[in-house]
Amino acid sequence: MLIAISLAIFCFLLYLIYCLFFWQWKKNCQPLYNNEKTPIMGHRGSPTLITENTLPSFKKAIDQGVDGLEFDIRLSKDKQIVIFHDSNLKRLSTREDSIAEVSLAELQTILLNKQEGQPEETYIPSLNDVVPLLDQIQVINIEIKSEGLFKGHDILNPLIEFLNKHQIDDKCIVSSFNPLILMNLRLKRPETVIGFLYNRNKLFHSWGNMIWMLRVQPENLHIHYSLLDSWIINWARKKGMRINSYTLNDKEIYNKFRSKIDGVFTDNIEYLK
């Protein structure tokens, strides 16, 4: 009996070592990457100049020569996908309502706060509103926001409908800090390119994120630039993942780590271009 238990433990340890250091999962093709340049993605558009996550901000980023756009999505009260970062309106408007408690039609009438010197008035767009911009960019990163592991999953079905309708898999990454949402998306739509957003707000975060990545099986690791020297980067590389870094706004830091990253999210497009 003792020999059988010892053998079982030994086999499990061998399997664990194989998964951690040798096993590689199949990944979807990402033609958006090449060896000529690092794709620069406008983080929520061009937020230092025009209110984040709005159409004028996205258009400004494109005018600045950005390669792609990154933005956040949530569901409105009537289950429509809107582009907005926070769970409520407090930071960017004169209202404090939760996004989930307001309909799309009403959200799109709420005037958002302006950046200093910004002439344009801006409003909350829906996901469908960005469709005319898709042909002007090389990549979009859609980040799914959620307030807990078991929350926010109801956005997946309408998002999948959007992805199926527009067939943008060659230029689209879907990311989230919620690994269960990413696992659910992988099961429902395996062809979607997934970006695993590294969560550093917990104890032993490197090991915790590594275990989640083994479960999610993403194409990309999206990680804060302050962690680009950590061992998890080398581990992700050996697993064949692309590395996209957020939110990298300094030219010196960008140049220092350029060889370690495949893509970058930035608020300061003009500094990195």
Side-chain angles (χ1 to χ4, degrees), residues 74-186:
R74 295 181 174 276
L75 280 185
S76 63
K77 182 179 180 179
D78 50 345
K79 305 303 180 185
Q80 301 299 306
I81 300 179
V82 297
I83 298 176
F84 203 76
H85 179 273
D86 299 356
S87 61
N88 60 61
L89 293 161
K90 184 176 181 179
R91 180 173 62 91
L92 288 181
S93 78
T94 57
R95 295 177 53 166
E96 298 187 4
D97 313 61
S98 168
I99 296 296
E101 295 173 350
V102 185
S103 70
L104 171 61
E106 185 177 356
L107 285 170
Q108 294 195 306
T109 67
I110 298 171
L111 184 65
L112 300 179
N113 299 335
K114 293 182 178 182
Q115 293 290 66
E116 184 177 352
Q118 173 185 323
E120 300 93 341
E121 292 187 343
T122 53
Y123 301 86
I124 299 173
S126 72
L127 181 58
N128 289 322
D129 289 334
V130 303
V131 171
L133 303 179
L134 295 178
D135 289 338
Q136 302 177 48
I137 52 177
Q138 179 183 339
V139 54
I140 62 167
N141 185 98
I142 301 173
E143 180 182 340
I144 301 173
K145 307 302 291 186
S146 77
E147 295 0 288
L149 273 178
F150 302 101
K151 297 179 179 179
H153 291 251
D154 50 349
I155 203 171
L156 287 180
N157 285 340
L159 175 60
I160 288 171
E161 288 180 12
F162 176 87
L163 297 175
N164 287 341
K165 178 180 179 180
H166 296 288
Q167 292 296 305
I168 52 173
D169 293 310
D170 61 337
K171 64 166 60 182
C172 181
I173 304 167
V174 178
S175 64
S176 181
F177 280 106
N178 187 330
L180 287 186
I181 282 182
L182 297 179
M183 287 175 62
N184 197 0
L185 176 60
R186 177 62 83 211

Side-chain angles (χ1 to χ4, degrees), residues 177-215:
F177 280 106
N178 187 330
L180 287 186
I181 282 182
L182 297 179
M183 287 175 62
N184 197 0
L185 176 60
R186 177 62 83 211
L187 290 172
K188 290 183 174 217
R189 196 173 188 275
E191 64 268 35
T192 302
V193 172
I194 287 177
F196 182 95
L197 271 163
Y198 187 101
N199 185 350
R200 51 185 179 156
N201 297 323
K202 56 186 177 181
L203 195 63
F204 304 119
H205 51 78
S206 292
W207 288 95
N209 281 278
M210 180 180 67
I211 297 302
W212 274 119
M213 280 187 273
L214 289 171
R215 297 288 293 123

